[in-house]
Amino acid sequence: MNFVQIHWAGRPVRIEHAFVGVQDPRTPLMVFLHEGLGSLAMWKDFPQRLCAELGCRGLVYSRPGYGKSTPRAAEEAWGLDFMHRQAHEVLPALLDALGIDAATQRPWLLGHSDGASITLLYAARFAERIGGAVVLAPHILVEDLSVASIAQARTAYETTDLRQRLARYHDDPDSAFWGWNQIWLHPPFRQWSIEDEITTITCPLLAVQGLDDEYGTLEQIRGIQRRLPCTQLLELPDCGHSPQRDQAQAVIQAVKTFMQTPGDKQ
């Protein structure tokens, strides 16, 4: 694990990151974007396993407020555009700070949950700075199921050992949990949607979701495919909200096949 500093939201921000897989900078780069309660460490060995299978280099990082990156200030509340800001501001700043020229290297992005939505937003804005995208359990709109499960998570955080378990992965678990939980349960956030924005995506796209996802229905990935018909879908049985954990090998094989298929996928 390493740290790099970016300037964001009016202050210097430390970003925890690690490179995994093949270390040759000439090989394709896969950037991993974690879920709403995730971090670099919470990916565990999935990025390394995937990059080893693909023969590529991986960049894994913790967004501001997560892991060992600069925590969210106690009074800092995320806005309705918090995922847009991660896609349009933080990720480009991180790539620049690491000396990665996205216009020439065109990294691939793999995002999970909120990280998948950030991936879609990046792909929609920066068509010339991305090689392709894999989204696991993405959100393109807010569903009743999502809000109900996030409300249950709040109860669990307040009444069970969830805070202690998250403290294994975050220097400041309150920063990570409340930043995510409060905005998702903020009533105006119910109107959040990126359904129209994603229609500008032109890169190859694979969308994956578990049939037992407790945070979203299959409308999330099927809605992507309706707007972007060339999107490849993978709907996994015996799989909840974390396909990279519940069906890791199936995801790895699907990504490998997807990336190695010749031709323009969009």
Side-chain angles (χ1 to χ4, degrees):
M1 158 204 332
N2 297 289
F3 297 94
V4 68
Q5 184 170 289
I6 65 171
H7 192 81
W8 181 67
R11 60 172 177 158
V13 175
R14 184 179 79 163
I15 301 293
E16 171 194 27
H17 67 281
F19 285 98
V20 300
V22 178
Q23 295 305 305
D24 187 343
R26 296 170 296 181
T27 60
L29 175 68
M30 176 76 78
V31 182
F32 294 82
L33 294 95
H34 62 72
E35 63 184 297
L37 289 179
S39 67
L40 185 159
M42 282 188 73
W43 283 105
K44 299 190 175 176
D45 68 345
F46 178 79
Q48 176 63 46
R49 289 176 59 192
L50 178 61
C51 289
E53 189 70 29
L54 296 174
C56 73
R57 192 168 55 130
L59 169 62
V60 194
Y61 73 101
S62 297
R63 297 195 296 273
Y66 293 96
K68 297 183 180 300
S69 294
T70 299
R72 179 182 56 89
E75 71 282 358
E76 178 187 344
W78 292 348
L80 303 182
D81 63 347
F82 80 98
M83 285 187 268
H84 289 75
R85 296 194 67 192
Q86 293 294 324
H88 299 162
E89 300 170 12
V90 173
L91 180 54
L94 173 62
L95 295 175
D96 286 346
L98 293 174
I100 297 167
D101 183 351
T104 57
Q105 291 188 247
R106 295 172 67 95
W108 288 69
L109 269 57
L110 185 149
H112 172 223
S113 191
D114 282 13
S117 302
I118 294 166
T119 294
L120 292 170
L121 288 165
Y122 180 94
R125 169 69 66 90
F126 301 113
E128 302 305 316
R129 301 186 202 172
I130 184 170
V134 178
V135 291
L136 311 179
H139 304 286
I140 62 170
L141 75 163
V142 178
E143 297 181 290
D144 291 343
L145 176 64
S146 308
V147 173
S149 292
I150 291 169
Q152 291 174 0
R154 171 175 285 191
T155 300
Y157 194 78
E158 295 174 330
T159 62
T160 72
D161 67 344
L162 177 57
R163 185 181 187 280
Q164 287 70 33
R165 288 186 281 125
L166 287 175
R168 303 172 194 165
Y169 303 103
H170 305 283
D171 282 353
D172 186 341
D174 290 338
S175 164
F177 184 84
W178 292 117
W180 165 78
N181 192 266
Q182 288 175 347
I183 185 58
W184 268 94
L185 295 183
H186 187 41
F189 196 69
R190 292 299 294 266
Q191 304 307 312
W192 178 90
S193 166
I194 59 172
E195 295 167 280
D196 292 335
E197 289 174 75
I198 65 173
T199 58
T200 62
I201 293 174
T202 58
C203 72
L205 182 60
L206 170 65
V208 181
Q209 189 164 358
L211 298 182
D212 305 315
D213 191 334
E214 64 273 31
Y215 284 93
T217 72
L218 288 171
E219 173 58 25
Q220 301 287 351
I221 64 170
R222 292 177 180 176
I224 294 172
Q225 191 182 57
R226 281 202 306 277
R227 291 162 178 85
L228 300 165
C230 290
T231 301
Q232 294 188 27
L233 300 188
L234 177 62
E235 300 175 2
L236 291 169
D238 302 315
C239 181
H241 188 59
S242 299
Q244 77 279 8
R245 181 191 65 209
D246 296 347
Q247 293 284 356
Q249 193 53 48
V251 172
I252 289 170
Q253 186 56 52
V255 174
K256 183 177 181 181
T257 301
F258 172 66
M259 290 185 68
Q260 292 179 348
T261 301
D264 186 0
K265 304 181 188 69
Q266 284 285 4

